[in-house]
Amino acid sequence: YRRQRQMFKETVRSALETLGGLEVWATETHFMLVCLRMGKASALKDYLAGEHGILIRDASNFDGLNERFFRIAAQSREENDRLVKAIGQWLEEE
């Protein structure tokens, strides 16, 4: 299970980086810290929850971070694909 989650994490990271408009920080866990190049994490969080029923963690209140940071966790392949697609749609609208 741990190996599968690691693979899903790498797939999500690669897919998010391909979208452009954000930076995914390296991690050893299935959680990923992501920084938007434009826009606010709170706006993305509201969009994902309202339009897609997907929850992310707004990380703007973490020490040393600002309003552009959010955290996600690698899930199943289907859930990860849904998340990446939804973030891509939001980035296109911004």
Side-chain angles (χ1 to χ4, degrees), residues 2 9 12 19 21 40 50 59 61-62 64 67 70 75 90:
R2 184 178 240 166
K9 179 190 78 165
V12 171
L19 292 176
K40 292 185 178 183
N61 64 346
F62 290 12
E67 71 275 354
F70 64 96
Q75 303 293 323
W90 184 81

Side-chain angles (χ1 to χ4, degrees), residues 2 5 20-21 23 26 32 37 48 50 54-55 65 69-71 82 85 93:
R2 184 178 240 166
R5 195 163 245 189
E23 177 184 353
M32 288 169 264
R37 292 199 174 103
L48 292 175
I54 298 172
L55 300 177
L65 303 184
F69 286 87
F70 64 96
R71 187 182 70 188
R82 236 178 92 220
K85 183 177 179 182
E93 293 175 11

Side-chain angles (χ1 to χ4, degrees), residues 22-89:
L22 37 84
E23 177 184 353
V24 183
W25 290 23
T27 181
E28 295 297 319
T29 71
H30 69 285
F31 287 103
M32 288 169 264
L33 188 62
V34 184
C35 182
L36 295 166
R37 292 199 174 103
M38 299 181 76
K40 292 185 178 183
S42 59
L44 174 60
K45 178 183 174 183
D46 291 345
Y47 170 79
L48 292 175
E51 299 295 321
H52 298 277
I54 298 172
L55 300 177
I56 63 170
R57 172 68 159 92
D58 178 351
S60 62
N61 64 346
F62 290 12
D63 282 345
L65 303 184
N66 62 32
E67 71 275 354
R68 297 187 190 276
F69 286 87
F70 64 96
R71 187 182 70 188
I72 59 172
Q75 303 293 323
S76 71
R77 183 185 325 266
E78 294 78 20
E79 290 169 317
N80 294 337
D81 290 347
R82 236 178 92 220
L83 173 66
V84 171
K85 183 177 179 182
I87 291 174
Q89 290 171 350

Side-chain angles (χ1 to χ4, degrees), residues 10-24:
E10 292 305 321
T11 302
V12 171
R13 180 183 176 152
S14 176
L16 288 173
E17 288 176 341
T18 300
L19 292 176
L22 37 84
E23 177 184 353
V24 183

